[in-house]
Amino acid sequence: MDTSDELSEPLGKTNDQLVAFLSRYRDMNFLKSHGRDNARTCKVDREEEAGVSSSENSICMGGDRFIRKQGLDRLFLECDAHMWRLGDRRIPEGIAVDGGSDWFLLNRKFVEYVTFSTDDLVTKMKQFYSYTLLPAEVRRDNASHLVVSMSLTNIWARAKLLSFFHTVLENSPHCDTMVDNNLRITNWNRKLGCKCQYKHIAPTTSSRKTSTASRQAGCKAPLLNPHLPRSQLADPVHFISRAQQTARPTFFARKFEAVVNQEIIGQLDYYLYGNYPAGTPGLRSYWENVYEEPDGIHSLSDVVLTLYHSFSRLGLRRAEASLHTEGENSCRYYPMGHPASVHIYFLADRFQGFLIKHHATNLAVSKLETLETWVMPKKVFKIASPPSDFGRLQFSEVGTEWDAKERLFRNFGGLLGPMDEPVGMQKWGKGPNVTVTIIWVDPVNIIAATYDILIESTAEFTHYKPPLNLPLRPGVWTVKILHHWVPVAETKFLVAPLTFSNRQPIKPEEALRLHNGPLRSAYMEQSFQSLNPVLSLPISPAQVEQARRNAASAGAALEHWLDSLVGGMWTAMDICATGPSACPVMQTCSQTAWSSFSPDPKSELGAVKPDGRLR
C-alpha cells in the first residue's frame, strides 16, 4: 500500500514470472526493513533466490534511533482532524521493533494470524499501534493466495503503519517466513523526498497537535522520470537491468505518474509488450479527467468554476471568429449551463491546457449542441531586454500547490482567485552564490511585496509564499526578478475575479468585497511605495479608478471584465463538436487529435483474456 495519490505500479516482469516465483515461495512473507536503524532479532537462513543473501540477513541492533524517528516512544491520539501528542511511553518489554516500506506481500497464514489471533503479541501490538503517529490509509484485497497491502478489518483500516506488520511478524511464530525484500524498485531520492520527516515528531507547543495532513509528511519517493539523472534510477534501461537481477528479484517499480512523465511508462510498456504499430494515435498524448458532470458543481471551487465558464465562452468566441460566415448564424452559439467535463491535456509530457466539454445553443437552428474547447495558457515568463549579465535564472512561475518533491505546481494552469495564497518559484542554473530581489506588483502597480533570496551555487529551485493580506486585487500581476536592482526577468499571473460564490452567481456586495483588494490597498504592514519611482512603476489615478469600477461590477459587466482578463492570458486553440452540429465546418471531436474523445489505444482496457491479462 502507499499513502500518496500519485502512483502507478506496472510490472517489471511478466505475470507468468511473478506467479512462478510466488508459487515457489508461497509460505514466505515479503517485507522490506530499513535495516540499518532497526532492532532485528529473527535470523533465519533463506535462499538467495528469495531475495536475501546471508550477509543481508544478519542481526541488526540500534533500534532506538528508528523508534525515536518514527515517534513510537510517544503517545498520540487522533481527534477532530488533528493528531494530539499526549506524552511519552515505553516500548513493550521483550518486543523487537522493526519497520520499513509499507509496500509488502503477505501470505494467507500470517494474515489470518494477525486478523483472528487473540494471543498477547497481536492483542498488545494492535493496542500499541492504535496510539501511534502516522496511521496509514490502506485498501482491502481479498486475493486468495497472496495479500498485497491488505487491510485486516474495518478497525484496522487506519491503524497499520510502516512498522506494525514488520514488528508482529518478527516477534511471532511466523518469524522464519520473513524475506527482507518487497520485490519492488523505488526511486528514492531523499534530498527531494524527505523534505519533512514529521517536523520532528509533531509540534511541541502547548496545544501539541498537528493537522491530519501533516501526519503524512515523512519521506516519499519521487516519481521515475527518464530526464532525471541515472543515479535516481530514472533511466528505464537501468531500471530494467535492475529488475532482471536474481539475487534480489524485482517485479514492481514505483512511482510513475503520467502528468509528470508519461515517456518512461511508454518505454517500459514497449519493453514488456512490444511497440505499437506505426501511426497509432495518441501515443505521445495524455488526458486526465479532473471533472465530470456526475461529480456535481459542488466538487469545484468558485475559482475553478468561474474559469471553466470563461474558457467555454472563449471557445465560442473562437468558433464565431474563425468558423462563422458573414450573414449566417450556423457557427454562432449561446452558452448553456455548467461545463459537462474537464480534462487536463499533455503532449510529449508538456502541459497543453484544459479541454472543456460544454453545452451551447446553435443560434441558427436553436438546438443544443455539445462542444469541446481547448484552451492553452500564453507564455508569460520574459527575460529582461536588454538582457542582464546575470545568467543563472532559467525560469520563473507563480501558482499554488507547489510540489517540492516533483518540483512543479499541482494547480496546473495556475487557476487563482482573490483568496488564494500564491507561491513564487524560480529555476536556476549552476553558478556562484548570489542574492536576487523579488518584487510582486499588483494590477494597478502597487508593490505588494519585496524580498531577497540567497541563491546558493548548487541551488536548482527556490520557492516562497509571501504573507500577503487578502483579498488579492483581481487582474494581471507581475513578479519581477532583479540582481543588484538590475532587471533580470519577470513573469505574470492572473488573479481572476469571481462570477460564482458558493457555486451560485455572485451577489454585487460579495463581488465588491472580494474584488477591491485588501483594506487600504495594504498587502503587508510595510509600504513599498517609495520603490515605485525606482522601478518606473507609476500609479495612475485613472487606472485605480477603473479598478474600483471593475470591483463594483456584477452580472454581464463582471463576465465581460473576467473574459477580457482571461483572453489576455489564455488562447482558445480549437473547438470541436462531440455530436451532430449545424455548423458545417465544425470538426468532429472523435477525429480531432487533441480532443479527449479522440482514440487513445494505449489506455484502452478490454475484456480480460484467458491468461488473466488485459493486453
Side-chain angles (χ1 to χ4, degrees), residues 196-277:
C196 168
Q197 184 68 18
Y198 321 148
K199 286 295 183 187
H200 213 64
I201 317 305
T204 55
T205 60
S206 57
S207 66
R208 292 195 175 186
K209 67 178 181 178
T210 182
S211 69
T212 303
S214 71
R215 300 175 320 191
Q216 307 296 346
C219 296
K220 293 187 177 183
L223 297 161
L224 287 156
N225 184 333
H227 302 297
L228 296 177
R230 177 170 295 191
S231 60
Q232 297 180 22
L233 296 182
D235 187 341
V237 176
H238 184 63
F239 156 69
I240 291 166
S241 65
R242 171 93 176 268
Q244 299 304 311
Q245 294 179 15
T246 56
R248 183 171 285 278
T250 304
F251 292 89
F252 305 93
R254 56 188 295 270
K255 301 176 183 178
F256 299 84
E257 187 182 9
V259 295
V260 175
N261 187 272
Q262 183 180 239
E263 180 185 351
I264 192 169
I265 301 174
Q267 290 170 336
L268 183 58
D269 200 52
Y270 167 72
Y271 169 77
L272 292 173
Y273 308 115
N275 213 344
Y276 285 92

Coordinates of all heavy atoms in Angstrom, one line a residue, residues 196-277:
C196 N 10.3 16.8 4.9 CA 9.9 17.0 6.2 C 9.7 15.6 6.8 O 8.8 14.9 6.4 CB 8.5 17.7 6.2 SG 7.7 17.7 7.8
Q197 N 10.5 15.2 7.8 CA 10.3 14.0 8.5 C 9.5 14.2 9.8 O 10.0 14.2 10.9 CB 11.7 13.4 8.8 CG 11.6 12.0 9.4 CD 11.1 10.9 8.4 OE1 11.1 11.1 7.3 NE2 10.6 9.8 9.0
Y198 N 8.2 14.5 9.6 CA 7.2 14.7 10.6 C 7.5 15.9 11.4 O 7.0 16.1 12.5 CB 7.2 13.5 11.6 CG 7.3 12.1 10.9 CD1 7.9 11.1 11.6 CD2 6.8 11.9 9.7 CE1 8.0 9.8 11.1 CE2 7.0 10.6 9.1 CZ 7.6 9.6 9.8 OH 7.7 8.4 9.2
K199 N 8.3 16.9 10.9 CA 8.7 18.1 11.6 C 9.2 17.8 13.0 O 8.9 18.4 14.0 CB 7.5 19.1 11.7 CG 7.1 19.8 10.4 CD 8.3 20.7 10.0 CE 7.9 21.4 8.7 NZ 9.0 22.2 8.2
H200 N 9.9 16.9 13.1 CA 10.4 16.0 14.1 C 9.4 15.8 15.2 O 9.3 16.4 16.2 CB 11.8 16.4 14.7 CG 12.4 15.1 15.0 ND1 12.7 14.1 14.1 CD2 12.8 14.6 16.2 CE1 13.3 13.1 14.7 NE2 13.3 13.4 16.0
I201 N 8.5 14.8 14.9 CA 7.5 14.2 15.8 C 6.6 15.3 16.3 O 6.3 15.4 17.5 CB 8.2 13.5 17.0 CG1 9.4 12.7 16.5 CG2 7.2 12.6 17.7 CD1 9.0 11.7 15.4
A202 N 6.0 16.1 15.4 CA 4.9 17.0 15.7 C 5.3 18.1 16.6 O 6.3 18.1 17.3 CB 3.7 16.2 16.3
P203 N 4.6 19.2 16.5 CA 5.0 20.4 17.3 C 4.9 20.2 18.8 O 4.2 19.3 19.2 CB 3.9 21.4 16.9 CG 3.2 20.9 15.7 CD 3.4 19.4 15.7
T204 N 5.8 20.9 19.5 CA 5.8 20.7 21.0 C 5.3 22.0 21.6 O 5.7 22.3 22.7 CB 7.2 20.4 21.4 OG1 8.1 21.5 21.0 CG2 7.7 19.1 20.9
T205 N 4.3 22.6 21.0 CA 3.7 23.8 21.5 C 2.7 23.4 22.6 O 2.5 22.2 22.8 CB 3.0 24.6 20.5 OG1 2.0 23.8 19.9 CG2 3.9 25.1 19.4
S206 N 2.1 24.3 23.3 CA 1.2 24.0 24.3 C 0.0 23.1 23.8 O -0.5 22.3 24.5 CB 0.6 25.2 25.0 OG 0.0 26.1 24.1
S207 N -0.4 23.4 22.6 CA -1.5 22.6 22.1 C -1.1 21.2 21.7 O -1.9 20.3 21.7 CB -2.1 23.3 20.8 OG -1.2 23.3 19.8
R208 N 0.1 21.0 21.3 CA 0.7 19.7 21.0 C -0.2 19.0 20.0 O -0.6 17.8 20.1 CB 0.9 18.8 22.2 CG 2.0 19.3 23.1 CD 2.4 18.3 24.1 NE 3.5 18.7 24.9 CZ 4.1 18.0 25.8 NH1 3.8 16.7 26.0 NH2 5.1 18.5 26.5
K209 N -0.5 19.7 18.9 CA -1.3 19.0 17.9 C -0.8 19.3 16.5 O -0.1 20.3 16.3 CB -2.8 19.4 17.9 CG -3.0 20.9 17.6 CD -4.5 21.2 17.7 CE -4.8 22.7 17.3 NZ -6.2 23.0 17.3
T210 N -1.1 18.5 15.6 CA -0.6 18.7 14.2 C -1.8 18.2 13.3 O -2.6 17.4 13.6 CB 0.6 17.9 13.9 OG1 1.0 18.2 12.5 CG2 0.5 16.4 14.0
S211 N -1.9 18.9 12.1 CA -3.0 18.6 11.2 C -2.9 17.2 10.7 O -1.8 16.6 10.6 CB -3.1 19.5 10.1 OG -2.0 19.3 9.2
T212 N -4.0 16.6 10.3 CA -4.0 15.2 9.8 C -3.1 15.1 8.6 O -2.4 14.2 8.4 CB -5.5 14.8 9.4 OG1 -6.3 14.9 10.6 CG2 -5.5 13.4 8.9
A213 N -3.2 16.2 7.7 CA -2.3 16.1 6.5 C -0.9 16.0 6.9 O -0.1 15.3 6.2 CB -2.6 17.4 5.7
S214 N -0.4 16.7 7.9 CA 1.0 16.7 8.2 C 1.5 15.4 8.7 O 2.7 15.1 8.8 CB 1.3 17.8 9.2 OG 0.8 17.5 10.5
R215 N 0.6 14.5 9.1 CA 1.0 13.2 9.5 C 1.6 12.4 8.4 O 2.4 11.4 8.6 CB -0.2 12.4 10.0 CG -0.9 13.0 11.2 CD -2.2 12.2 11.5 NE -2.8 11.7 10.3 CZ -4.1 11.2 10.4 NH1 -4.7 11.0 11.5 NH2 -4.6 10.7 9.3
Q216 N 1.4 12.8 7.2 CA 1.9 12.1 6.0 C 3.2 12.7 5.5 O 3.6 12.5 4.4 CB 0.9 12.0 4.9 CG -0.5 11.5 5.3 CD -0.4 10.0 5.7 OE1 0.6 9.4 5.5 NE2 -1.4 9.6 6.4
A217 N 3.8 13.6 6.4 CA 4.9 14.4 5.9 C 6.3 13.7 6.0 O 7.3 14.4 6.1 CB 4.9 15.7 6.7
G218 N 6.3 12.4 6.0 CA 7.6 11.8 6.0 C 8.2 11.7 4.6 O 7.9 12.4 3.8
C219 N 9.1 10.7 4.5 CA 9.8 10.5 3.2 C 8.9 9.9 2.2 O 8.2 8.9 2.5 CB 11.1 9.7 3.4 SG 12.3 10.4 4.4
K220 N 8.9 10.5 1.0 CA 8.1 9.9 -0.1 C 9.0 9.8 -1.3 O 9.8 10.7 -1.6 CB 6.9 10.8 -0.4 CG 5.8 10.8 0.7 CD 4.6 11.5 0.2 CE 3.5 11.5 1.3 NZ 2.2 12.1 0.8
A221 N 8.8 8.8 -2.1 CA 9.7 8.5 -3.2 C 9.3 9.4 -4.4 O 8.1 9.5 -4.7 CB 9.6 7.1 -3.7
P222 N 10.3 10.1 -5.0 CA 10.0 10.9 -6.2 C 9.6 9.9 -7.3 O 9.8 8.7 -7.3 CB 11.3 11.6 -6.5 CG 12.0 11.6 -5.3 CD 11.6 10.3 -4.6
L223 N 9.0 10.5 -8.3 CA 8.5 9.7 -9.5 C 9.7 9.3 -10.4 O 10.6 10.1 -10.5 CB 7.4 10.4 -10.3 CG 6.2 10.7 -9.5 CD1 5.4 11.8 -10.1 CD2 5.3 9.5 -9.3
L224 N 9.5 8.2 -11.1 CA 10.5 7.8 -12.1 C 10.3 8.7 -13.3 O 9.2 9.0 -13.8 CB 10.3 6.3 -12.5 CG 10.7 5.3 -11.4 CD1 10.0 4.0 -11.6 CD2 12.2 5.1 -11.5
N225 N 11.5 9.2 -13.8 CA 11.4 10.1 -14.9 C 12.7 10.0 -15.7 O 13.8 10.2 -15.1 CB 11.4 11.6 -14.3 CG 11.2 12.7 -15.3 OD1 11.7 12.5 -16.4 ND2 10.7 13.8 -14.9
P226 N 12.7 9.7 -17.0 CA 13.9 9.4 -17.7 C 14.8 10.6 -18.0 O 15.9 10.5 -18.4 CB 13.3 8.9 -19.1 CG 12.0 9.5 -19.2 CD 11.4 9.5 -17.8
H227 N 14.3 11.8 -17.6 CA 15.1 13.0 -17.8 C 15.8 13.5 -16.6 O 16.5 14.5 -16.6 CB 14.1 14.2 -18.3 CG 13.4 13.8 -19.5 ND1 14.0 13.6 -20.7 CD2 12.1 13.7 -19.8 CE1 13.1 13.3 -21.7 NE2 11.9 13.4 -21.1
L228 N 15.7 12.7 -15.5 CA 16.5 12.9 -14.3 C 17.8 12.1 -14.3 O 17.9 11.1 -15.1 CB 15.6 12.6 -13.1 CG 14.4 13.4 -12.9 CD1 13.6 12.9 -11.7 CD2 14.7 14.9 -12.7
P229 N 18.7 12.4 -13.5 CA 20.0 11.6 -13.5 C 19.8 10.1 -13.3 O 18.9 9.7 -12.6 CB 20.8 12.3 -12.4 CG 20.2 13.6 -12.2 CD 18.7 13.5 -12.5
R230 N 20.7 9.3 -13.9 CA 20.5 7.9 -13.8 C 20.7 7.4 -12.4 O 20.2 6.4 -11.9 CB 21.6 7.2 -14.7 CG 21.6 5.7 -14.5 CD 22.5 5.0 -15.6 NE 21.9 5.2 -16.9 CZ 22.4 4.6 -18.0 NH1 23.4 3.7 -17.9 NH2 21.9 4.8 -19.2
S231 N 21.5 8.2 -11.6 CA 21.7 7.9 -10.2 C 20.4 7.8 -9.4 O 20.3 7.2 -8.3 CB 22.6 8.9 -9.5 OG 22.0 10.2 -9.6
Q232 N 19.3 8.4 -10.0 CA 18.0 8.3 -9.3 C 17.1 7.1 -9.8 O 15.9 7.1 -9.6 CB 17.2 9.6 -9.5 CG 17.9 10.8 -8.9 CD 17.1 12.1 -9.2 OE1 15.9 12.1 -9.4 NE2 17.8 13.2 -9.1
L233 N 17.7 6.2 -10.5 CA 17.0 5.0 -11.1 C 16.0 5.5 -12.1 O 15.0 4.8 -12.2 CB 16.4 4.2 -10.0 CG 17.3 3.5 -9.0 CD1 16.5 2.7 -8.0 CD2 18.3 2.6 -9.7
A234 N 16.2 6.6 -12.7 CA 15.2 7.2 -13.6 C 15.3 6.5 -15.0 O 14.3 6.5 -15.7 CB 15.3 8.7 -13.7
D235 N 16.4 6.1 -15.4 CA 16.6 5.6 -16.7 C 16.0 4.2 -16.9 O 16.3 3.3 -16.1 CB 18.1 5.5 -17.0 CG 18.4 5.1 -18.4 OD1 17.5 4.6 -19.1 OD2 19.6 5.3 -18.9
P236 N 15.0 4.0 -17.8 CA 14.3 2.7 -17.9 C 15.3 1.6 -18.2 O 15.0 0.5 -17.8 CB 13.3 3.0 -19.0 CG 13.8 4.2 -19.8 CD 14.5 5.0 -18.8
V237 N 16.3 1.8 -19.0 CA 17.3 0.8 -19.2 C 17.9 0.3 -17.9 O 18.1 -0.9 -17.7 CB 18.4 1.2 -20.2 CG1 19.4 0.2 -20.4 CG2 17.7 1.6 -21.6
H238 N 18.3 1.3 -17.1 CA 18.9 0.9 -15.8 C 17.8 0.2 -14.9 O 18.2 -0.8 -14.2 CB 19.3 2.2 -15.1 CG 20.0 2.0 -13.8 ND1 21.2 1.3 -13.7 CD2 19.6 2.4 -12.5 CE1 21.6 1.3 -12.4 NE2 20.6 1.9 -11.7
F239 N 16.6 0.7 -15.0 CA 15.5 0.0 -14.2 C 15.3 -1.4 -14.6 O 15.2 -2.4 -13.8 CB 14.2 0.8 -14.4 CG 13.0 0.0 -14.1 CD1 12.7 -0.5 -12.9 CD2 12.2 -0.4 -15.2 CE1 11.6 -1.3 -12.7 CE2 11.1 -1.1 -15.0 CZ 10.8 -1.6 -13.7
I240 N 15.3 -1.6 -16.0 CA 15.1 -3.0 -16.5 C 16.2 -3.9 -16.1 O 16.0 -5.1 -15.7 CB 14.8 -2.9 -18.0 CG1 13.5 -2.3 -18.3 CG2 14.9 -4.3 -18.6 CD1 13.4 -1.8 -19.8
S241 N 17.4 -3.5 -16.2 CA 18.6 -4.3 -15.8 C 18.5 -4.7 -14.4 O 18.8 -5.8 -14.0 CB 19.9 -3.6 -16.2 OG 20.1 -2.5 -15.4
R242 N 18.1 -3.7 -13.5 CA 17.9 -4.0 -12.1 C 16.8 -5.0 -11.8 O 16.9 -5.9 -11.0 CB 17.6 -2.6 -11.4 CG 17.2 -2.8 -9.9 CD 18.4 -2.6 -9.0 NE 18.0 -2.7 -7.6 CZ 17.7 -1.6 -6.9 NH1 17.8 -0.4 -7.4 NH2 17.3 -1.7 -5.7
A243 N 15.8 -4.9 -12.6 CA 14.6 -5.8 -12.5 C 15.0 -7.3 -12.8 O 14.4 -8.2 -12.4 CB 13.5 -5.4 -13.3
Q244 N 16.1 -7.5 -13.6 CA 16.5 -8.8 -14.0 C 17.4 -9.5 -13.0 O 17.8 -10.6 -13.2 CB 17.1 -8.7 -15.4 CG 16.2 -8.2 -16.5 CD 14.9 -9.0 -16.6 OE1 15.0 -10.2 -16.7 NE2 13.8 -8.3 -16.6
Q245 N 17.8 -8.8 -12.0 CA 18.7 -9.4 -11.0 C 18.1 -10.6 -10.3 O 16.9 -10.5 -10.0 CB 19.2 -8.3 -10.0 CG 20.0 -7.2 -10.5 CD 20.3 -6.2 -9.4 OE1 20.2 -6.5 -8.3 NE2 20.8 -5.0 -9.8
T246 N 18.8 -11.6 -10.1 CA 18.2 -12.8 -9.4 C 18.6 -12.8 -8.0 O 17.9 -13.4 -7.2 CB 18.8 -14.1 -10.1 OG1 20.2 -14.1 -10.0 CG2 18.3 -14.2 -11.5
A247 N 19.6 -12.1 -7.5 CA 20.0 -12.1 -6.1 C 18.9 -11.3 -5.3 O 18.6 -11.7 -4.2 CB 21.3 -11.4 -5.9
R248 N 18.3 -10.3 -5.9 CA 17.2 -9.6 -5.3 C 16.1 -9.4 -6.3 O 16.0 -8.4 -7.0 CB 17.7 -8.3 -4.7 CG 16.6 -7.5 -4.0 CD 17.1 -6.3 -3.3 NE 17.9 -6.6 -2.1 CZ 17.3 -6.9 -0.9 NH1 16.0 -6.9 -0.8 NH2 18.0 -7.2 0.2
P249 N 15.2 -10.4 -6.5 CA 14.2 -10.3 -7.5 C 13.3 -9.1 -7.4 O 13.0 -8.6 -6.3 CB 13.4 -11.6 -7.3 CG 14.3 -12.5 -6.5 CD 15.1 -11.6 -5.7
T250 N 12.9 -8.5 -8.5 CA 12.1 -7.4 -8.6 C 11.0 -7.6 -9.6 O 11.3 -7.9 -10.7 CB 12.9 -6.1 -9.0 OG1 14.0 -6.0 -8.0 CG2 12.1 -4.9 -8.9
F251 N 9.8 -7.3 -9.2 CA 8.6 -7.5 -10.1 C 7.8 -6.2 -10.3 O 7.0 -6.1 -11.2 CB 7.7 -8.5 -9.6 CG 8.3 -9.9 -9.6 CD1 9.0 -10.4 -8.6 CD2 8.1 -10.7 -10.7 CE1 9.6 -11.7 -8.6 CE2 8.7 -12.0 -10.8 CZ 9.4 -12.5 -9.7
F252 N 8.1 -5.2 -9.4 CA 7.3 -4.0 -9.4 C 8.3 -2.8 -9.4 O 9.4 -2.9 -8.9 CB 6.3 -3.9 -8.3 CG 5.4 -5.0 -8.2 CD1 5.7 -6.1 -7.4 CD2 4.2 -5.1 -8.8 CE1 4.8 -7.2 -7.2 CE2 3.3 -6.1 -8.7 CZ 3.6 -7.2 -7.9
A253 N 7.8 -1.6 -9.7 CA 8.5 -0.4 -9.6 C 7.6 0.8 -9.3 O 6.4 0.7 -9.6 CB 9.3 -0.1 -10.9
R254 N 8.1 1.8 -8.6 CA 7.3 2.9 -8.2 C 8.3 4.1 -8.0 O 9.5 3.9 -7.7 CB 6.5 2.7 -7.0 CG 7.3 2.2 -5.8 CD 6.3 1.8 -4.6 NE 5.6 2.9 -4.2 CZ 5.9 3.7 -3.2 NH1 7.1 3.6 -2.6 NH2 5.2 4.7 -2.8
K255 N 7.8 5.3 -8.2 CA 6.4 5.7 -8.6 C 6.4 6.2 -10.1 O 7.4 6.7 -10.6 CB 5.9 6.8 -7.7 CG 5.9 6.5 -6.2 CD 5.4 7.7 -5.5 CE 5.5 7.5 -4.0 NZ 5.1 8.7 -3.3
F256 N 5.2 6.0 -10.7 CA 5.0 6.6 -12.0 C 3.8 7.5 -11.9 O 2.8 7.2 -11.2 CB 4.7 5.4 -13.0 CG 5.8 4.4 -13.2 CD1 5.9 3.4 -12.3 CD2 6.7 4.5 -14.2 CE1 6.9 2.4 -12.4 CE2 7.7 3.6 -14.4 CZ 7.8 2.5 -13.5
E257 N 3.8 8.5 -12.7 CA 2.7 9.4 -12.8 C 2.7 10.1 -14.1 O 3.7 10.9 -14.4 CB 2.6 10.4 -11.7 CG 1.3 11.2 -11.7 CD 1.3 12.3 -10.6 OE1 2.3 12.5 -9.9 OE2 0.2 12.9 -10.4
A258 N 1.7 9.9 -14.9 CA 1.7 10.4 -16.3 C 1.7 11.9 -16.4 O 2.3 12.5 -17.4 CB 0.6 9.8 -17.1
V259 N 1.1 12.7 -15.5 CA 1.1 14.1 -15.6 C 2.5 14.7 -15.3 O 2.8 15.8 -15.7 CB 0.1 14.8 -14.6 CG1 -1.3 14.4 -14.9 CG2 0.5 14.4 -13.1
V260 N 3.4 13.9 -14.7 CA 4.8 14.3 -14.5 C 5.6 13.8 -15.7 O 6.4 14.5 -16.2 CB 5.3 13.8 -13.2 CG1 6.8 14.2 -13.0 CG2 4.5 14.4 -12.0
N261 N 5.5 12.5 -16.0 CA 6.2 11.9 -17.1 C 5.6 10.7 -17.6 O 5.5 9.7 -16.8 CB 7.7 11.7 -16.7 CG 8.5 11.2 -17.9 OD1 8.6 10.1 -18.2 ND2 9.1 12.2 -18.6
Q262 N 5.1 10.7 -18.8 CA 4.5 9.5 -19.4 C 5.5 8.7 -20.2 O 5.3 7.6 -20.5 CB 3.3 10.0 -20.3 CG 2.6 8.8 -20.9 CD 1.4 9.2 -21.8 OE1 0.3 8.9 -21.6 NE2 1.7 10.0 -22.9
E263 N 6.6 9.4 -20.6 CA 7.5 8.8 -21.5 C 8.1 7.5 -20.9 O 8.2 6.5 -21.6 CB 8.7 9.7 -21.8 CG 9.8 9.2 -22.7 CD 10.9 10.1 -22.9 OE1 10.9 11.3 -22.4 OE2 11.9 9.7 -23.5
I264 N 8.4 7.5 -19.6 CA 9.0 6.3 -19.0 C 8.0 5.1 -19.0 O 8.4 4.0 -19.1 CB 9.6 6.6 -17.6 CG1 10.5 5.4 -17.2 CG2 8.5 6.9 -16.6 CD1 11.3 5.7 -15.9
I265 N 6.7 5.5 -18.8 CA 5.7 4.4 -18.8 C 5.6 3.8 -20.2 O 5.5 2.6 -20.4 CB 4.3 5.0 -18.4 CG1 4.4 5.7 -17.0 CG2 3.2 4.0 -18.5 CD1 3.1 6.4 -16.6
G266 N 5.7 4.6 -21.3 CA 5.7 4.1 -22.6 C 6.9 3.2 -22.9 O 6.8 2.2 -23.6
Q267 N 8.1 3.6 -22.4 CA 9.3 2.9 -22.6 C 9.2 1.5 -22.0 O 9.6 0.5 -22.5 CB 10.5 3.6 -22.1 CG 10.8 4.9 -23.0 CD 11.9 5.8 -22.3 OE1 12.1 5.7 -21.1 NE2 12.6 6.6 -23.1
L268 N 8.7 1.5 -20.7 CA 8.5 0.2 -20.0 C 7.5 -0.6 -20.7 O 7.6 -1.9 -20.9 CB 8.2 0.5 -18.6 CG 8.0 -0.8 -17.7 CD1 9.3 -1.6 -17.6 CD2 7.6 -0.3 -16.3
D269 N 6.4 0.0 -21.2 CA 5.3 -0.7 -21.9 C 5.9 -1.4 -23.2 O 5.6 -2.5 -23.5 CB 4.3 0.3 -22.3 CG 2.9 -0.3 -22.6 OD1 2.5 -1.1 -21.8 OD2 2.4 0.0 -23.7
Y270 N 6.8 -0.6 -23.9 CA 7.4 -1.2 -25.1 C 8.3 -2.4 -24.7 O 8.2 -3.4 -25.4 CB 8.2 -0.1 -25.8 CG 9.1 -0.6 -26.8 CD1 8.6 -1.1 -28.1 CD2 10.5 -0.7 -26.6 CE1 9.5 -1.6 -29.0 CE2 11.4 -1.1 -27.6 CZ 10.8 -1.6 -28.8 OH 11.7 -2.1 -29.8
Y271 N 9.0 -2.3 -23.6 CA 9.9 -3.4 -23.3 C 9.1 -4.6 -22.9 O 9.5 -5.8 -23.3 CB 10.7 -2.9 -22.0 CG 11.5 -4.1 -21.4 CD1 12.6 -4.6 -22.0 CD2 11.0 -4.7 -20.2 CE1 13.3 -5.6 -21.4 CE2 11.7 -5.7 -19.6 CZ 12.8 -6.2 -20.2 OH 13.5 -7.2 -19.6
L272 N 8.0 -4.5 -22.2 CA 7.2 -5.6 -21.8 C 6.3 -6.2 -22.9 O 6.2 -7.5 -23.0 CB 6.3 -5.2 -20.6 CG 7.0 -4.9 -19.3 CD1 6.0 -4.4 -18.3 CD2 7.7 -6.1 -18.8
Y273 N 5.8 -5.4 -23.7 CA 4.7 -5.8 -24.7 C 5.0 -5.6 -26.1 O 4.3 -6.0 -27.0 CB 3.4 -5.2 -24.3 CG 3.0 -5.3 -22.9 CD1 2.9 -4.2 -22.0 CD2 2.8 -6.6 -22.3 CE1 2.6 -4.3 -20.7 CE2 2.4 -6.7 -21.0 CZ 2.3 -5.6 -20.2 OH 2.0 -5.7 -18.9
G274 N 6.1 -4.9 -26.4 CA 6.4 -4.6 -27.8 C 5.8 -3.3 -28.2 O 5.0 -2.7 -27.5
N275 N 6.3 -2.8 -29.4 CA 5.9 -1.5 -29.8 C 4.5 -1.5 -30.5 O 4.0 -2.5 -30.9 CB 6.9 -0.9 -30.8 CG 7.0 0.6 -30.7 OD1 6.2 1.3 -30.1 ND2 8.1 1.2 -31.2
Y276 N 3.8 -0.3 -30.5 CA 2.6 -0.2 -31.2 C 2.9 -0.1 -32.7 O 3.9 0.3 -33.1 CB 1.8 1.0 -30.7 CG 1.2 0.9 -29.4 CD1 1.9 1.2 -28.2 CD2 -0.1 0.4 -29.2 CE1 1.3 1.1 -27.0 CE2 -0.7 0.2 -28.0 CZ 0.0 0.6 -26.9 OH -0.6 0.5 -25.6
P277 N 1.9 -0.5 -33.5 CA 2.1 -0.3 -35.0 C 2.3 1.2 -35.3 O 1.9 2.1 -34.6 CB 0.7 -0.8 -35.6 CG 0.1 -1.6 -34.5 CD 0.6 -1.1 -33.2

